[in-house]
Amino acid sequence: MSDIKIRAKSSNGVTTVKSLMSHVMETGLRKDKETGEPIPAHFIQEVTAKWKDQVVMTALWSGGVSKNPYLSFKFNGGEPGDAIEITWFDNQGNSETGTAEIS
Amino acid sequence: MIDNKRRILLKGSLGAGAVGVAVGAGLLTPGTVLAAWPKTAFMAEDQSTALKDLLGSDSIEDSDKVKIKAPDIAENGAVVPVTVEGEVSSAKTISIFAAGNSTPLIASFEMSESSVPFVSTRIKMAKTADVVAVVQTPDGLLGAAKPVKVTIGGCGG
């Protein structure tokens, strides 16, 4: 697990955020090819995105989102220099937060 | 039979106690405690059940205001880029389904007042099927579907 990569750009009053998270996103349906044992589910369940401490978007996910998830969204507002904060929580109790400035 | 039921009841009350212990021990995720992750909707094996649980209704109006961008052919079902845009003034949520997956609900995005109804992500698809997007507006659920041909499924292994 590493940092969340975030790129946020404001243009004509709309901020576009693109982010890349690092996560295995195991559905729990796959089996280990060698042992045949099921691989336990391990995926991000929730992602919250904040702009200046205000939640602008919450994503609820299943294991059906691809490994190392990509997420992009847009919101009205945001100036260059404003802080964007993205936090994910997974089904095993882990979480991670990344921040970036709007450019 | 009666004994059996008593046992279940007992187990049930013991279970409630155990949940608290499990949370304390960090066995249960704080995520599920903090947020209402809609487990039933995500576990549902058909779209209609998932929609009812998630949004309270499964009556979707097909609308060209819901735009789905996804490839016609996905060589690798494990990574299918999907972008959903709602040409609506106000959207509460945007949900994405892969109709051919064993649990079709992939993701649901809760919008805020400042949100633009736009999300883009990458999803897993088990087989050739429709990607369905549902945009929840104050006037009801608007939906659209886009077929994606999957060459290699991305859910098994």
Side-chain angles (χ1 to χ4, degrees), chain B residues 36-66:
Chain B
W37 190 71
K39 191 177 174 188
T40 319
F42 278 120
M43 302 294 274
E45 289 173 4
D46 65 283
Q47 189 180 306
S48 152
T49 310
L51 269 172
K52 276 185 195 151
D53 183 72
L54 188 71
L55 306 173
S57 163
D58 68 343
S59 84
I60 308 169
E61 186 192 327
D62 285 337
S63 171
D64 54 12
K65 287 179 183 162
V66 179

PDB file of all heavy atoms in Angstrom, chain B residues 36-66:
ATOM      1  N   ALA B  36     -22.594   3.571   6.361  1.00  0.00           N
ATOM      2  CA  ALA B  36     -23.584   2.541   6.105  1.00  0.00           C
ATOM      3  C   ALA B  36     -23.284   1.909   4.762  1.00  0.00           C
ATOM      4  O   ALA B  36     -23.894   2.237   3.758  1.00  0.00           O
ATOM      5  CB  ALA B  36     -24.973   3.162   6.127  1.00  0.00           C
ATOM      6  N   TRP B  37     -22.311   1.042   4.723  1.00  0.00           N
ATOM      7  CA  TRP B  37     -21.998   0.342   3.474  1.00  0.00           C
ATOM      8  C   TRP B  37     -23.143  -0.615   3.178  1.00  0.00           C
ATOM      9  O   TRP B  37     -23.442  -1.495   3.995  1.00  0.00           O
ATOM     10  CB  TRP B  37     -20.684  -0.416   3.627  1.00  0.00           C
ATOM     11  CG  TRP B  37     -20.159  -0.955   2.339  1.00  0.00           C
ATOM     12  CD1 TRP B  37     -19.637  -0.237   1.307  1.00  0.00           C
ATOM     13  CD2 TRP B  37     -20.080  -2.330   1.951  1.00  0.00           C
ATOM     14  NE1 TRP B  37     -19.239  -1.092   0.297  1.00  0.00           N
ATOM     15  CE2 TRP B  37     -19.507  -2.373   0.662  1.00  0.00           C
ATOM     16  CE3 TRP B  37     -20.445  -3.533   2.568  1.00  0.00           C
ATOM     17  CZ2 TRP B  37     -19.283  -3.566  -0.018  1.00  0.00           C
ATOM     18  CZ3 TRP B  37     -20.234  -4.712   1.886  1.00  0.00           C
ATOM     19  CH2 TRP B  37     -19.655  -4.725   0.607  1.00  0.00           C
ATOM     20  N   PRO B  38     -23.835  -0.413   2.054  1.00  0.00           N
ATOM     21  CA  PRO B  38     -25.060  -1.186   1.792  1.00  0.00           C
ATOM     22  C   PRO B  38     -24.765  -2.626   1.398  1.00  0.00           C
ATOM     23  O   PRO B  38     -24.778  -2.996   0.235  1.00  0.00           O
ATOM     24  CB  PRO B  38     -25.711  -0.416   0.646  1.00  0.00           C
ATOM     25  CG  PRO B  38     -24.581   0.271  -0.040  1.00  0.00           C
ATOM     26  CD  PRO B  38     -23.494   0.489   0.962  1.00  0.00           C
ATOM     27  N   LYS B  39     -24.480  -3.438   2.417  1.00  0.00           N
ATOM     28  CA  LYS B  39     -24.051  -4.810   2.197  1.00  0.00           C
ATOM     29  C   LYS B  39     -25.075  -5.628   1.387  1.00  0.00           C
ATOM     30  O   LYS B  39     -24.705  -6.322   0.449  1.00  0.00           O
ATOM     31  CB  LYS B  39     -23.799  -5.488   3.550  1.00  0.00           C
ATOM     32  CG  LYS B  39     -23.114  -6.818   3.389  1.00  0.00           C
ATOM     33  CD  LYS B  39     -22.785  -7.457   4.716  1.00  0.00           C
ATOM     34  CE  LYS B  39     -22.227  -8.847   4.457  1.00  0.00           C
ATOM     35  NZ  LYS B  39     -22.053  -9.626   5.649  1.00  0.00           N
ATOM     36  N   THR B  40     -26.342  -5.507   1.763  1.00  0.00           N
ATOM     37  CA  THR B  40     -27.374  -6.289   1.078  1.00  0.00           C
ATOM     38  C   THR B  40     -27.399  -5.980  -0.416  1.00  0.00           C
ATOM     39  O   THR B  40     -27.508  -6.890  -1.242  1.00  0.00           O
ATOM     40  CB  THR B  40     -28.757  -5.985   1.672  1.00  0.00           C
ATOM     41  OG1 THR B  40     -28.611  -5.893   3.092  1.00  0.00           O
ATOM     42  CG2 THR B  40     -29.758  -7.054   1.335  1.00  0.00           C
ATOM     43  N   ALA B  41     -27.277  -4.698  -0.749  1.00  0.00           N
ATOM     44  CA  ALA B  41     -27.301  -4.296  -2.153  1.00  0.00           C
ATOM     45  C   ALA B  41     -26.089  -4.860  -2.890  1.00  0.00           C
ATOM     46  O   ALA B  41     -26.204  -5.363  -4.004  1.00  0.00           O
ATOM     47  CB  ALA B  41     -27.326  -2.781  -2.269  1.00  0.00           C
ATOM     48  N   PHE B  42     -24.935  -4.802  -2.254  1.00  0.00           N
ATOM     49  CA  PHE B  42     -23.730  -5.285  -2.917  1.00  0.00           C
ATOM     50  C   PHE B  42     -23.701  -6.813  -3.035  1.00  0.00           C
ATOM     51  O   PHE B  42     -23.080  -7.352  -3.930  1.00  0.00           O
ATOM     52  CB  PHE B  42     -22.473  -4.783  -2.190  1.00  0.00           C
ATOM     53  CG  PHE B  42     -22.080  -3.383  -2.554  1.00  0.00           C
ATOM     54  CD1 PHE B  42     -22.020  -2.382  -1.598  1.00  0.00           C
ATOM     55  CD2 PHE B  42     -21.758  -3.055  -3.860  1.00  0.00           C
ATOM     56  CE1 PHE B  42     -21.652  -1.089  -1.940  1.00  0.00           C
ATOM     57  CE2 PHE B  42     -21.392  -1.761  -4.216  1.00  0.00           C
ATOM     58  CZ  PHE B  42     -21.335  -0.780  -3.250  1.00  0.00           C
ATOM     59  N   MET B  43     -24.374  -7.498  -2.099  1.00  0.00           N
ATOM     60  CA  MET B  43     -24.396  -8.955  -2.138  1.00  0.00           C
ATOM     61  C   MET B  43     -25.501  -9.476  -3.055  1.00  0.00           C
ATOM     62  O   MET B  43     -25.511 -10.654  -3.396  1.00  0.00           O
ATOM     63  CB  MET B  43     -24.615  -9.535  -0.730  1.00  0.00           C
ATOM     64  CG  MET B  43     -23.578  -9.127   0.291  1.00  0.00           C
ATOM     65  SD  MET B  43     -21.947  -9.772  -0.062  1.00  0.00           S
ATOM     66  CE  MET B  43     -22.084 -11.365   0.713  1.00  0.00           C
ATOM     67  N   ALA B  44     -26.438  -8.614  -3.429  1.00  0.00           N
ATOM     68  CA  ALA B  44     -27.588  -9.043  -4.220  1.00  0.00           C
ATOM     69  C   ALA B  44     -27.143  -9.630  -5.556  1.00  0.00           C
ATOM     70  O   ALA B  44     -26.234  -9.112  -6.192  1.00  0.00           O
ATOM     71  CB  ALA B  44     -28.525  -7.859  -4.454  1.00  0.00           C
ATOM     72  N   GLU B  45     -27.815 -10.726  -5.938  1.00  0.00           N
ATOM     73  CA  GLU B  45     -27.396 -11.414  -7.154  1.00  0.00           C
ATOM     74  C   GLU B  45     -28.148 -10.938  -8.389  1.00  0.00           C
ATOM     75  O   GLU B  45     -27.923 -11.435  -9.486  1.00  0.00           O
ATOM     76  CB  GLU B  45     -27.532 -12.929  -6.964  1.00  0.00           C
ATOM     77  CG  GLU B  45     -26.458 -13.430  -5.999  1.00  0.00           C
ATOM     78  CD  GLU B  45     -26.625 -14.886  -5.616  1.00  0.00           C
ATOM     79  OE1 GLU B  45     -27.530 -15.545  -6.154  1.00  0.00           O
ATOM     80  OE2 GLU B  45     -25.829 -15.341  -4.778  1.00  0.00           O
ATOM     81  N   ASP B  46     -29.092 -10.038  -8.212  1.00  0.00           N
ATOM     82  CA  ASP B  46     -29.705  -9.435  -9.392  1.00  0.00           C
ATOM     83  C   ASP B  46     -29.860  -7.934  -9.166  1.00  0.00           C
ATOM     84  O   ASP B  46     -29.909  -7.445  -8.040  1.00  0.00           O
ATOM     85  CB  ASP B  46     -31.053 -10.085  -9.704  1.00  0.00           C
ATOM     86  CG  ASP B  46     -32.056  -9.839  -8.613  1.00  0.00           C
ATOM     87  OD1 ASP B  46     -31.962 -10.516  -7.563  1.00  0.00           O
ATOM     88  OD2 ASP B  46     -32.892  -8.956  -8.779  1.00  0.00           O
ATOM     89  N   GLN B  47     -29.911  -7.236 -10.281  1.00  0.00           N
ATOM     90  CA  GLN B  47     -29.883  -5.793 -10.268  1.00  0.00           C
ATOM     91  C   GLN B  47     -31.098  -5.193  -9.579  1.00  0.00           C
ATOM     92  O   GLN B  47     -30.978  -4.202  -8.850  1.00  0.00           O
ATOM     93  CB  GLN B  47     -29.823  -5.326 -11.719  1.00  0.00           C
ATOM     94  CG  GLN B  47     -29.574  -3.858 -11.883  1.00  0.00           C
ATOM     95  CD  GLN B  47     -29.524  -3.494 -13.349  1.00  0.00           C
ATOM     96  OE1 GLN B  47     -28.772  -4.081 -14.107  1.00  0.00           O
ATOM     97  NE2 GLN B  47     -30.331  -2.553 -13.747  1.00  0.00           N
ATOM     98  N   SER B  48     -32.248  -5.822  -9.791  1.00  0.00           N
ATOM     99  CA  SER B  48     -33.478  -5.269  -9.244  1.00  0.00           C
ATOM    100  C   SER B  48     -33.448  -5.270  -7.710  1.00  0.00           C
ATOM    101  O   SER B  48     -33.804  -4.283  -7.065  1.00  0.00           O
ATOM    102  CB  SER B  48     -34.645  -6.080  -9.807  1.00  0.00           C
ATOM    103  OG  SER B  48     -35.713  -6.071  -8.940  1.00  0.00           O
ATOM    104  N   THR B  49     -32.994  -6.381  -7.116  1.00  0.00           N
ATOM    105  CA  THR B  49     -32.887  -6.456  -5.658  1.00  0.00           C
ATOM    106  C   THR B  49     -31.882  -5.422  -5.143  1.00  0.00           C
ATOM    107  O   THR B  49     -32.123  -4.740  -4.145  1.00  0.00           O
ATOM    108  CB  THR B  49     -32.425  -7.870  -5.235  1.00  0.00           C
ATOM    109  OG1 THR B  49     -33.242  -8.825  -5.884  1.00  0.00           O
ATOM    110  CG2 THR B  49     -32.514  -8.050  -3.731  1.00  0.00           C
ATOM    111  N   ALA B  50     -30.773  -5.300  -5.847  1.00  0.00           N
ATOM    112  CA  ALA B  50     -29.745  -4.355  -5.436  1.00  0.00           C
ATOM    113  C   ALA B  50     -30.276  -2.923  -5.472  1.00  0.00           C
ATOM    114  O   ALA B  50     -30.064  -2.142  -4.541  1.00  0.00           O
ATOM    115  CB  ALA B  50     -28.524  -4.493  -6.340  1.00  0.00           C
ATOM    116  N   LEU B  51     -31.004  -2.614  -6.536  1.00  0.00           N
ATOM    117  CA  LEU B  51     -31.551  -1.264  -6.677  1.00  0.00           C
ATOM    118  C   LEU B  51     -32.562  -0.945  -5.590  1.00  0.00           C
ATOM    119  O   LEU B  51     -32.556   0.139  -5.008  1.00  0.00           O
ATOM    120  CB  LEU B  51     -32.243  -1.126  -8.038  1.00  0.00           C
ATOM    121  CG  LEU B  51     -31.380  -0.617  -9.190  1.00  0.00           C
ATOM    122  CD1 LEU B  51     -32.151  -0.722 -10.493  1.00  0.00           C
ATOM    123  CD2 LEU B  51     -30.946   0.813  -8.963  1.00  0.00           C
ATOM    124  N   LYS B  52     -33.428  -1.926  -5.312  1.00  0.00           N
ATOM    125  CA  LYS B  52     -34.457  -1.712  -4.282  1.00  0.00           C
ATOM    126  C   LYS B  52     -33.805  -1.462  -2.936  1.00  0.00           C
ATOM    127  O   LYS B  52     -34.232  -0.602  -2.179  1.00  0.00           O
ATOM    128  CB  LYS B  52     -35.388  -2.922  -4.202  1.00  0.00           C
ATOM    129  CG  LYS B  52     -36.497  -2.875  -5.225  1.00  0.00           C
ATOM    130  CD  LYS B  52     -37.453  -4.047  -5.011  1.00  0.00           C
ATOM    131  CE  LYS B  52     -38.348  -4.237  -6.214  1.00  0.00           C
ATOM    132  NZ  LYS B  52     -38.749  -5.620  -6.379  1.00  0.00           N
ATOM    133  N   ASP B  53     -32.772  -2.224  -2.652  1.00  0.00           N
ATOM    134  CA  ASP B  53     -32.113  -2.062  -1.360  1.00  0.00           C
ATOM    135  C   ASP B  53     -31.343  -0.749  -1.295  1.00  0.00           C
ATOM    136  O   ASP B  53     -31.325  -0.070  -0.284  1.00  0.00           O
ATOM    137  CB  ASP B  53     -31.163  -3.235  -1.102  1.00  0.00           C
ATOM    138  CG  ASP B  53     -30.526  -3.134   0.272  1.00  0.00           C
ATOM    139  OD1 ASP B  53     -31.252  -3.364   1.255  1.00  0.00           O
ATOM    140  OD2 ASP B  53     -29.345  -2.776   0.362  1.00  0.00           O
ATOM    141  N   LEU B  54     -30.717  -0.404  -2.407  1.00  0.00           N
ATOM    142  CA  LEU B  54     -29.845   0.771  -2.427  1.00  0.00           C
ATOM    143  C   LEU B  54     -30.637   2.063  -2.527  1.00  0.00           C
ATOM    144  O   LEU B  54     -30.382   3.030  -1.788  1.00  0.00           O
ATOM    145  CB  LEU B  54     -28.878   0.658  -3.617  1.00  0.00           C
ATOM    146  CG  LEU B  54     -27.775   1.684  -3.712  1.00  0.00           C
ATOM    147  CD1 LEU B  54     -26.736   1.448  -2.628  1.00  0.00           C
ATOM    148  CD2 LEU B  54     -27.103   1.620  -5.072  1.00  0.00           C
ATOM    149  N   LEU B  55     -31.599   2.101  -3.454  1.00  0.00           N
ATOM    150  CA  LEU B  55     -32.283   3.363  -3.745  1.00  0.00           C
ATOM    151  C   LEU B  55     -33.780   3.314  -3.451  1.00  0.00           C
ATOM    152  O   LEU B  55     -34.493   4.275  -3.690  1.00  0.00           O
ATOM    153  CB  LEU B  55     -32.058   3.741  -5.220  1.00  0.00           C
ATOM    154  CG  LEU B  55     -30.591   3.799  -5.689  1.00  0.00           C
ATOM    155  CD1 LEU B  55     -30.516   4.015  -7.180  1.00  0.00           C
ATOM    156  CD2 LEU B  55     -29.825   4.895  -4.959  1.00  0.00           C
ATOM    157  N   GLY B  56     -34.246   2.161  -2.977  1.00  0.00           N
ATOM    158  CA  GLY B  56     -35.647   2.060  -2.578  1.00  0.00           C
ATOM    159  C   GLY B  56     -36.598   1.787  -3.730  1.00  0.00           C
ATOM    160  O   GLY B  56     -37.807   1.724  -3.526  1.00  0.00           O
ATOM    161  N   SER B  57     -36.086   1.639  -4.939  1.00  0.00           N
ATOM    162  CA  SER B  57     -36.956   1.385  -6.090  1.00  0.00           C
ATOM    163  C   SER B  57     -36.136   0.776  -7.214  1.00  0.00           C
ATOM    164  O   SER B  57     -34.931   1.016  -7.321  1.00  0.00           O
ATOM    165  CB  SER B  57     -37.575   2.699  -6.572  1.00  0.00           C
ATOM    166  OG  SER B  57     -38.082   2.534  -7.879  1.00  0.00           O
ATOM    167  N   ASP B  58     -36.813  -0.024  -8.046  1.00  0.00           N
ATOM    168  CA  ASP B  58     -36.085  -0.558  -9.207  1.00  0.00           C
ATOM    169  C   ASP B  58     -36.741  -0.102 -10.498  1.00  0.00           C
ATOM    170  O   ASP B  58     -36.505  -0.665 -11.558  1.00  0.00           O
ATOM    171  CB  ASP B  58     -35.979  -2.081  -9.139  1.00  0.00           C
ATOM    172  CG  ASP B  58     -37.324  -2.764  -9.315  1.00  0.00           C
ATOM    173  OD1 ASP B  58     -38.361  -2.077  -9.155  1.00  0.00           O
ATOM    174  OD2 ASP B  58     -37.351  -3.969  -9.596  1.00  0.00           O
ATOM    175  N   SER B  59     -37.601   0.916 -10.401  1.00  0.00           N
ATOM    176  CA  SER B  59     -38.233   1.387 -11.631  1.00  0.00           C
ATOM    177  C   SER B  59     -37.355   2.482 -12.249  1.00  0.00           C
ATOM    178  O   SER B  59     -37.237   3.584 -11.739  1.00  0.00           O
ATOM    179  CB  SER B  59     -39.652   1.872 -11.354  1.00  0.00           C
ATOM    180  OG  SER B  59     -39.670   3.174 -10.906  1.00  0.00           O
ATOM    181  N   ILE B  60     -36.723   2.088 -13.335  1.00  0.00           N
ATOM    182  CA  ILE B  60     -35.793   2.981 -14.022  1.00  0.00           C
ATOM    183  C   ILE B  60     -36.420   3.459 -15.321  1.00  0.00           C
ATOM    184  O   ILE B  60     -36.999   2.666 -16.066  1.00  0.00           O
ATOM    185  CB  ILE B  60     -34.481   2.250 -14.376  1.00  0.00           C
ATOM    186  CG1 ILE B  60     -33.897   1.558 -13.149  1.00  0.00           C
ATOM    187  CG2 ILE B  60     -33.456   3.203 -14.948  1.00  0.00           C
ATOM    188  CD1 ILE B  60     -32.758   0.622 -13.507  1.00  0.00           C
ATOM    189  N   GLU B  61     -36.283   4.731 -15.573  1.00  0.00           N
ATOM    190  CA  GLU B  61     -36.723   5.261 -16.848  1.00  0.00           C
ATOM    191  C   GLU B  61     -35.509   5.359 -17.759  1.00  0.00           C
ATOM    192  O   GLU B  61     -34.529   6.021 -17.422  1.00  0.00           O
ATOM    193  CB  GLU B  61     -37.338   6.653 -16.614  1.00  0.00           C
ATOM    194  CG  GLU B  61     -37.964   7.259 -17.838  1.00  0.00           C
ATOM    195  CD  GLU B  61     -38.280   8.738 -17.625  1.00  0.00           C
ATOM    196  OE1 GLU B  61     -38.601   9.113 -16.489  1.00  0.00           O
ATOM    197  OE2 GLU B  61     -38.177   9.488 -18.604  1.00  0.00           O
ATOM    198  N   ASP B  62     -35.578   4.667 -18.896  1.00  0.00           N
ATOM    199  CA  ASP B  62     -34.473   4.766 -19.859  1.00  0.00           C
ATOM    200  C   ASP B  62     -34.359   6.209 -20.327  1.00  0.00           C
ATOM    201  O   ASP B  62     -35.358   6.817 -20.685  1.00  0.00           O
ATOM    202  CB  ASP B  62     -34.733   3.860 -21.074  1.00  0.00           C
ATOM    203  CG  ASP B  62     -34.509   2.405 -20.725  1.00  0.00           C
ATOM    204  OD1 ASP B  62     -33.771   2.151 -19.759  1.00  0.00           O
ATOM    205  OD2 ASP B  62     -35.086   1.543 -21.395  1.00  0.00           O
ATOM    206  N   SER B  63     -33.161   6.721 -20.299  1.00  0.00           N
ATOM    207  CA  SER B  63     -33.009   8.125 -20.630  1.00  0.00           C
ATOM    208  C   SER B  63     -31.712   8.365 -21.385  1.00  0.00           C
ATOM    209  O   SER B  63     -30.667   7.823 -21.036  1.00  0.00           O
ATOM    210  CB  SER B  63     -33.007   8.956 -19.346  1.00  0.00           C
ATOM    211  OG  SER B  63     -32.653  10.279 -19.630  1.00  0.00           O
ATOM    212  N   ASP B  64     -31.815   9.205 -22.437  1.00  0.00           N
ATOM    213  CA  ASP B  64     -30.579   9.533 -23.153  1.00  0.00           C
ATOM    214  C   ASP B  64     -29.809  10.637 -22.432  1.00  0.00           C
ATOM    215  O   ASP B  64     -28.779  11.103 -22.906  1.00  0.00           O
ATOM    216  CB  ASP B  64     -30.862   9.886 -24.617  1.00  0.00           C
ATOM    217  CG  ASP B  64     -31.890  10.976 -24.762  1.00  0.00           C
ATOM    218  OD1 ASP B  64     -32.224  11.613 -23.738  1.00  0.00           O
ATOM    219  OD2 ASP B  64     -32.364  11.216 -25.894  1.00  0.00           O
ATOM    220  N   LYS B  65     -30.334  11.058 -21.290  1.00  0.00           N
ATOM    221  CA  LYS B  65     -29.592  12.026 -20.481  1.00  0.00           C
ATOM    222  C   LYS B  65     -28.474  11.348 -19.700  1.00  0.00           C
ATOM    223  O   LYS B  65     -27.609  11.995 -19.138  1.00  0.00           O
ATOM    224  CB  LYS B  65     -30.529  12.732 -19.487  1.00  0.00           C
ATOM    225  CG  LYS B  65     -31.448  13.725 -20.150  1.00  0.00           C
ATOM    226  CD  LYS B  65     -32.364  14.366 -19.129  1.00  0.00           C
ATOM    227  CE  LYS B  65     -33.338  15.313 -19.823  1.00  0.00           C
ATOM    228  NZ  LYS B  65     -34.484  15.595 -18.929  1.00  0.00           N
ATOM    229  N   VAL B  66     -28.558  10.023 -19.629  1.00  0.00           N
ATOM    230  CA  VAL B  66     -27.502   9.270 -18.959  1.00  0.00           C
ATOM    231  C   VAL B  66     -26.539   8.757 -20.026  1.00  0.00           C
ATOM    232  O   VAL B  66     -26.925   7.987 -20.903  1.00  0.00           O
ATOM    233  CB  VAL B  66     -28.077   8.096 -18.148  1.00  0.00           C
ATOM    234  CG1 VAL B  66     -26.959   7.296 -17.477  1.00  0.00           C
ATOM    235  CG2 VAL B  66     -29.055   8.616 -17.097  1.00  0.00           C
TER     236      VAL B  66
END
